[in-house]
């Protein structure tokens, strides 16, 4: 049976933020939190755990804050196996084209792993990968230009990161104020959590399955 979420198209507000980054990370309060659409389902996840996903924007880029709680182990992250690693998978369409099933040059795919780099592989790692079956690909996101921070414990992890505006092909928020958007949290403890659609749907390559972020002013 199709999940209830499949029957609707969802548009979420993405609120303006004056600064994308501070000494404490991304300054995104509760008003930047995305809804939990899994709550629409009759049978919520049996693995427990919670995901707090926040996003904000301004002319200089997009800011994100992700908190995953209820874990039993530290995240498993391998830069050579990003699709299998614990972490965040993002899809962003800077034109929010709703009636296509193959990505365009405005569609981006990112992996943000809570570990995998640095001493003891405890530093967060951003990765850009092309989208399968895309009609055309955007300029690769220079992940070394992203601002990234986080925290890992045995019970949770938090990721804060910023994607600069000029790293996103087609990001022109004053002219195009809607973004196609999708995320998937992959986690070996609490299970996979998606904004709308996960497996078996081709969520990481079909823009028609993504939600819309509506960029709202100050």
């Amino acid at each position: 049976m199709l999940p209830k979420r499949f029957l609707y198209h969802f548009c979420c507000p993405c609120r303006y933020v004056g600064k994308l980054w501070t000494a404490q990370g991304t300054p995104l309060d509760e008003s930047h939190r995305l809804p939990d659409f899994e709550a629409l389902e009759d049978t919520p996840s049996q693995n427990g755990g919670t995901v707090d996903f926040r996003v904000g924007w301004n002319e200089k880029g997009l800011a994100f804050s992700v908190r995953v709680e209820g874990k039993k182990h530290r995240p498993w992250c391998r830069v050579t196996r990003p699709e299998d690693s614990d972490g965040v998978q993002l899809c962003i369409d800077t034109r929010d084209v709703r009636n296509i099933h193959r990505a365009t040059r405005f569609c981006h795919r990112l992996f943000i792993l809570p570990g995998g780099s640095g001493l003891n592989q405890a530093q967060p790692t951003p990765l850009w990968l092309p989208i399968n079956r895309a009609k055309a690909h955007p300029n690769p996101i220079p992940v070394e230009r992203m601002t990234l921070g986080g925290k890992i414990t045995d019970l949770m992890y938090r990721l804060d990161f910023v994607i600069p505006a000029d790293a996103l092909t087609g990001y022109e928020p004053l002219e195009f104020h809607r973004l196609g958007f999708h995320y998937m949290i992959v986690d070996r403890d609490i299970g996979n959590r998606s904004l709308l659609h996960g497996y078996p749907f081709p969520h990481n390559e079909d823009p028609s399955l993504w939600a819309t972020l509506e960029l709202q002013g100050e």
Side-chain angles (χ1 to χ4, degrees):
M1 301 224 8
L2 291 176
K4 295 177 181 178
R5 287 169 284 175
F6 195 82
L7 304 177
Y8 303 91
H9 172 61
F10 292 91
C11 181
C12 307
C14 180
R15 301 189 184 281
Y16 187 92
V17 59
K19 290 185 177 180
L20 297 176
W21 192 264
T22 70
Q24 289 74 43
T26 53
L28 304 179
D29 60 24
E30 184 69 26
S31 68
H32 294 274
R33 184 175 183 177
L34 295 183
D36 180 8
F37 291 116
E38 284 195 352
L40 295 175
E41 304 300 331
D42 293 330
T43 55
S45 171
Q46 300 299 312
N47 294 329
T50 60
V51 171
D52 184 316
F53 197 108
R54 304 181 185 192
V55 57
W57 77 279
N58 68 23
E59 297 83 354
K60 296 181 179 180
L62 296 172
F64 299 86
S65 179
V66 183
R67 187 179 182 97
V68 176
E69 296 186 315
K71 293 183 59 58
K72 301 176 182 177
H73 310 88
R74 296 176 73 85
W76 187 90
C77 303
R78 299 292 185 273
V79 295
T80 57
R81 296 173 59 186
E83 293 181 317
D84 299 325
S85 295
D86 290 346
V88 182
Q89 301 182 16
L90 286 184
C91 294
I92 301 171
D93 178 5
T94 56
R95 290 294 185 270
D96 189 33
V97 180
R98 299 294 314 154
N99 57 353
I100 58 174
H101 296 282
R102 295 175 60 187
T104 71
R105 69 185 185 94
F106 299 109
C107 297
H108 308 72
R109 187 185 185 200
L110 274 172
F111 292 76
I112 313 295
L113 310 183
S117 298
L119 183 64
N120 299 322
Q121 295 192 335
Q123 298 300 314
T125 307
L127 300 166
W128 177 90
L129 288 180
I131 295 178
N132 185 40
R133 297 179 59 250
K135 294 180 178 179
H137 296 293
N139 296 324
I141 293 177
V143 293
E144 68 278 2
R145 292 187 53 231
M146 292 176 57
T147 306
L148 190 64
K151 177 182 178 181
I152 297 177
T153 72
D154 291 339
L155 301 177
M156 59 77 68
Y157 70 81
R158 190 192 78 245
L159 285 168
D160 286 357
F161 55 98
V162 171
I163 307 175
D166 58 1
L168 287 167
T169 301
Y171 182 71
E172 301 174 27
L174 300 184
E175 183 175 358
F176 299 96
H177 62 278
R178 290 191 169 203
L179 305 176
F181 184 74
H182 173 72
Y183 75 74
M184 169 72 79
I185 305 294
V186 176
D187 195 276
R188 293 167 182 251
D189 291 327
I190 71 170
N192 295 343
R193 306 289 181 89
S194 62
L195 177 61
L196 282 179
H197 309 297
Y199 302 109
F201 301 105
H203 61 91
N204 54 6
E205 63 183 53
D206 185 345
S208 71
L209 297 175
W210 305 347
T212 293
L213 292 183
E214 185 170 10
L215 307 182
Q216 298 189 346
E218 297 182 61

